[in-house]
Amino acid sequence: MTTQNSATEADRALKAKHRAMWAQGDYPSLAAEVIPGLGAVLVEACGVRSGQRVLDVGAGSGNAAIPAALAGAEVVASDLTPELFEAGRRVAGQQGVELSWQEADAEALPFGDAEFDTVLSCVGVMFAPHHQRAADELVRVCRPGGTIGLLSWTPQGFIGRMFATMKPYAPPPPPGAQPPPLWGDEDHVRALLGDRVTDVRAERRTVRVDRFETPEAFRDYFKERYGPTISVYKSIAGDSGRTAALDRDLVDLARDGDPGPGGVGGLREWEYLLFTARRAG
């Protein structure tokens, strides 16, 4: 019993840390300014339509949930970090749609079995630390024959490489936690979902990002607004040498593959995996 209680307390502490990480900075503005169209890509791939009940897991400020509502679906936007909802409610109001916003842990969703026609997540559920738990929940709340749709950064794409760049500077992950970009690996996602899904479609695509004129502009923007980057810098704040080294490494990452004067190489094209499937049964 003591071991189980300790594990539960450790999990609560980890989730509190994740919530705080995403609440810092300004992820809603980053999502709106850098990747505004990704949610709509996922909604279209899932075939969301009027009359469906849709759950967005790790919804953030609603990049996928709002397009789903615009398609006529009844939408629940869920996220571990409800601090992100205010911006989403504002955008939804401006676009004239209503949806529900609910605080929820992707690894323990507060919804009934087979409650939704479509369960989707746009660069959201990939940040749940325990991948199998999260995958099990995606399947559980989707009705048989319903659609599960995921859009995740790939390990070899720009954001996956950014996480690899930051890893040496970050505190070691807790036992059992897995790297977010693994959700961008088709084989990994297939293994997580197993034979509980059919009609799998997986495609690696890129989104063009024209927000940053220089590698330094990218680094400074993410240092200010992106929770995971902010957290890594906070963890080394007392070491000026390591902070300067991370500064250099992020600039080098953005400069890698520079196509010429004024170009920033891979910073222009961010690869993601678009994965859809139907729940079997």
Side-chain angles (χ1 to χ4, degrees), residues 239-279:
D239 189 329
S240 59
R242 283 169 62 77
T243 297
L246 180 54
D247 277 344
R248 291 192 298 270
D249 286 351
L250 287 175
V251 166
D252 288 345
L253 168 70
R255 189 176 287 127
D256 182 40
D258 192 333
V264 287
L267 184 52
R268 295 289 190 194
E269 300 288 341
W270 295 8
E271 186 182 71
Y272 62 87
L273 177 72
L274 181 62
F275 184 102
T276 61
R278 295 202 177 277
R279 180 180 168 183

Side-chain angles (χ1 to χ4, degrees), residues 38 60 64 72 87-88 105 119 144 152 216 222 278:
L38 279 191
D105 179 354
V119 179
S152 310
E216 291 80 7
F222 269 64
R278 295 202 177 277

